Amino acid sequence: MKKWVLFSFLSAGILALLGAPDIGRAFHKLWLASQTLGKPKQANAFRDLHTWLPDRGLRGLYGNLRGHLSYQDLEKLIEIKIFLKGPHTDGKLNLTSNQFGHYNPAFPRWLKQNAIPGRSNPKLRALYQPIYDLSFRRMARTYYLAHRHLHSDPMRLKKIHNDYIGRVKNEEATGQFLGDAFRAFADQMENNGYDWYEANTAPGFWLRRSIDGTDNEFHAGLVALLETHDAAFLKQHR
């Protein structure tokens, strides 16, 4: 029997014993589906997400998992509007706009409480640890270090913040601007064994969160994930 089949069988049994509700089952399925991340994909399957790297970054992650729980389905499940403002309306993601989505602060708070099944359950923590190591560890560490980098120099952050806001107001493209702003950080991260693309785009995510007011909420959720599955790394880099 293949390892992933055996793993799925055992985990389903454990989940049944725990009597998980619908939300718990949905995120359990997402964690199991995450075992396929990094396997070969057809690039055109991600064309609507405007990414050519289906095994990297947040868009790649969403593209791999949306077949199990889409943006629209997630909103219905949790009964919370994910975005309060921006181009992502009517259950659709608009990833070509020069504007950006302003998250509802309730969403990252909800994720912290519900999307990390092993946080308060040692059995599930042990069950999901191999999946975290395989599919989430690199990205989680990258985003944690990117947040620390972005906030390490308040004057630099303020300048990038103001320049970015100006470009958004003028409907100017922001991708190249952010890529150039964080190129040195990405180069340094790549030298330390991280993925250059994820390191180049992660600070931009945190910049937008500092603008929409959800920086603290998303960071708290990321810290909770690291506390659960990557405590040694977190202790080293705090």
Side-chain angles (χ1 to χ4, degrees), residues 63-104:
N64 278 279
L65 297 181
R66 62 179 169 174
H68 303 274
L69 188 65
S70 68
Y71 163 43
Q72 302 95 314
D73 292 336
L74 179 58
E75 280 198 332
K76 292 178 182 177
L77 179 68
I78 67 179
E79 299 180 337
I80 293 174
K81 292 292 292 183
I82 294 177
F83 294 99
L84 296 179
K85 178 183 176 183
H88 311 313
T89 58
D90 300 325
K92 297 180 181 179
L93 296 176
N94 180 354
L95 299 174
T96 60
S97 173
N98 289 325
Q99 304 296 313
F100 69 93
H102 292 240
Y103 280 98
N104 181 349

Side-chain angles (χ1 to χ4, degrees), residues 12-50:
I14 291 176
L15 194 66
L17 290 173
L18 293 173
D22 290 343
I23 290 175
R25 290 184 182 278
F27 276 90
H28 172 72
K29 290 180 180 179
L30 283 185
W31 275 81
L32 291 183
S34 300
Q35 296 174 94
T36 65
L37 298 182
K39 293 185 178 180
K41 306 289 190 309
Q42 291 184 347
N44 59 5
F46 294 78
R47 187 172 297 162
D48 63 317
L49 297 179
H50 300 276

